[in-house]
Amino acid sequence: MKFTVLTLFPEIPRAFFEASIMAKAVEKGIIAYDLVNIRDFAFDNHKTCDDKPYGGGAGQLMMAEPLGCALDSVKAHKKHVIYVTPSGKPFTQEKAQELSRKDEIVLICGRYEGIDQRIIDSYVDDEISIGDYVMSSGEVAATVVIDAVYRLVDNVITHESLEEESYSGGLLEYPQYTRPAVYRGMEVPDVLTSGNHELIRKWRLKKRLQKTLANRPDLILQARLRGLLTTEAEKMIEELTEQVKLKSLSRKHRNKKK
């Protein structure tokens, strides 16, 4: 799989491609990348790539001509082009899975107030937002998308490592522990050292459901709609929900006594 990144600051994504698991994937030939400096396609001696927006308003906008030429240089019309922007569709694990099946992805890194709409209309297949907030660096946002996608490509990470992590099966990941067995008086749950794989499986499922209910209850509804929850999981949800209700009633009772 190949990632082509169009940017005004290629040194930012370069550091990511040259480190850790990504560097190993590149070395093995599983992942390839190309960093295209948009300034190389500017028309003036100052390498200008931004200008004031028509209609007024604060800030500068990335110009269509240098960016369009940069896109043409990588034959973007034949590839899947992504523009990372706060006004895009929310980025999800499901989207990452979909993108991981592409042969090549071209990412446009915005800056300033964004890019000329005519570039979006002419080249962009996907407008993606990594969250409900605004960043100054499109490079950082593009790197987030790349990181979520490349790890799903075959042979980058073992299949076992991906099976029960957050969002697989529609749930968040269970708590993890490693040595030492006791840290500052806190012990690893006995079930994890029991050697009983069935008890461990049930404990992990329950903890996944508990964490998802607490942090992302919306995912439980989505998992139900997609038919991802087993009868066992639904029973555990009932038990966990009842426990929460009892704790809430107990707190109210204590507060009345005070």
Side-chain angles (χ1 to χ4, degrees):
M1 182 180 196
K2 183 177 181 180
F3 294 98
T4 299
V5 184
L6 276 62
T7 169
L8 295 174
F9 300 94
E11 62 273 17
I12 297 176
R14 180 177 289 113
F16 173 73
F17 282 106
E18 294 179 352
S20 190
I21 299 172
M22 173 60 90
K24 293 177 182 177
V26 171
E27 185 180 347
K28 291 177 182 176
I30 303 169
I31 300 295
Y33 71 95
D34 187 17
L35 304 178
V36 179
N37 193 331
I38 300 166
R39 292 190 192 280
D40 292 342
F41 299 87
F43 295 105
D44 65 340
N45 292 333
H46 298 288
K47 300 296 182 183
T48 304
C49 290
D50 62 290
D51 206 342
K52 295 178 181 179
Y54 280 115
Q60 299 283 99
L61 198 68
M62 287 180 67
M63 298 164 65
E65 288 179 324
L67 186 48
C69 289
L71 285 160
D72 289 341
S73 76
V74 299
K75 297 180 172 57
H77 279 303
K78 298 179 180 180
K79 298 163 186 175
H80 192 81
V81 179
I82 295 172
Y83 172 44
V84 281
T85 167
S87 61
K89 293 180 180 178
F91 187 50
T92 63
Q93 186 70 11
E94 186 176 3
K95 186 65 177 179
Q97 289 278 7
E98 176 193 323
L99 293 174
S100 71
R101 294 188 284 272
K102 303 285 185 185
D103 292 327
E104 183 171 353
I105 293 173
V106 176
L107 295 106
I108 301 172
C109 302
R111 280 274 168 170
Y112 318 118
E113 296 301 311
I115 68 176
D116 192 296
Q117 181 64 37
R118 289 168 291 187
I119 291 294
I120 299 172
D121 294 341
S122 301
Y123 293 92
V124 174
D125 298 298
D126 267 329
E127 291 182 76
I128 290 178
S129 168
I130 62 168
D132 295 340
Y133 48 86
V134 178
M135 302 172 65
S136 60
S137 172
E139 289 77 18
V140 173
T143 302
V144 168
V145 173
I146 294 167
D147 189 78
V149 172
Y150 95 98
R151 61 193 302 279
L152 299 174
V153 175
D154 288 344
N155 300 318
V156 171
I157 296 177
T158 62
H159 180 70
E160 290 77 12
S161 297
L162 301 173
E163 278 186 337
E164 292 186 333
E165 63 184 7
S166 290
Y167 304 107
S168 63
L171 303 173
L172 301 182
E173 191 172 12
Y174 48 78
Q176 299 269 27
Y177 300 85
T178 188
R179 292 184 293 178
V182 180
Y183 170 70
R184 296 184 179 181
M186 297 177 285
E187 297 183 9
V188 173
D190 290 339
V191 65
L192 297 179
T193 58
S194 67
N196 189 319
H197 297 296
E198 179 60 13
L199 285 179
I200 292 171
R201 183 194 67 78
K202 288 183 176 181
W203 181 88
R204 285 176 168 171
L205 175 58
K206 189 171 184 178
K207 288 298 181 180
R208 294 188 77 189
L209 291 165
Q210 188 176 41
K211 192 166 191 176
T212 307
L213 283 166
N215 294 351
R216 292 291 306 276
D218 57 300
L219 293 179
I220 296 291
L221 177 59
Q222 291 178 32
R224 280 181 175 144
L225 292 173
R226 294 166 60 193
L228 298 177
L229 296 181
T230 62
T231 302
E232 179 186 34
E234 290 287 8
K235 186 176 180 181
M236 287 182 179
I237 290 172
E238 288 181 17
E239 293 171 356
L240 289 166
T241 304
E242 188 61 30
Q243 288 172 14
V244 170
K245 287 180 181 177
L246 290 173
K247 284 181 181 178
S248 179
L249 288 171
S250 179
R251 279 197 298 270
K252 288 179 181 179
H253 184 67
R254 286 198 302 270
N255 290 336
K256 283 183 179 179
K257 283 187 174 181
K258 291 178 182 179

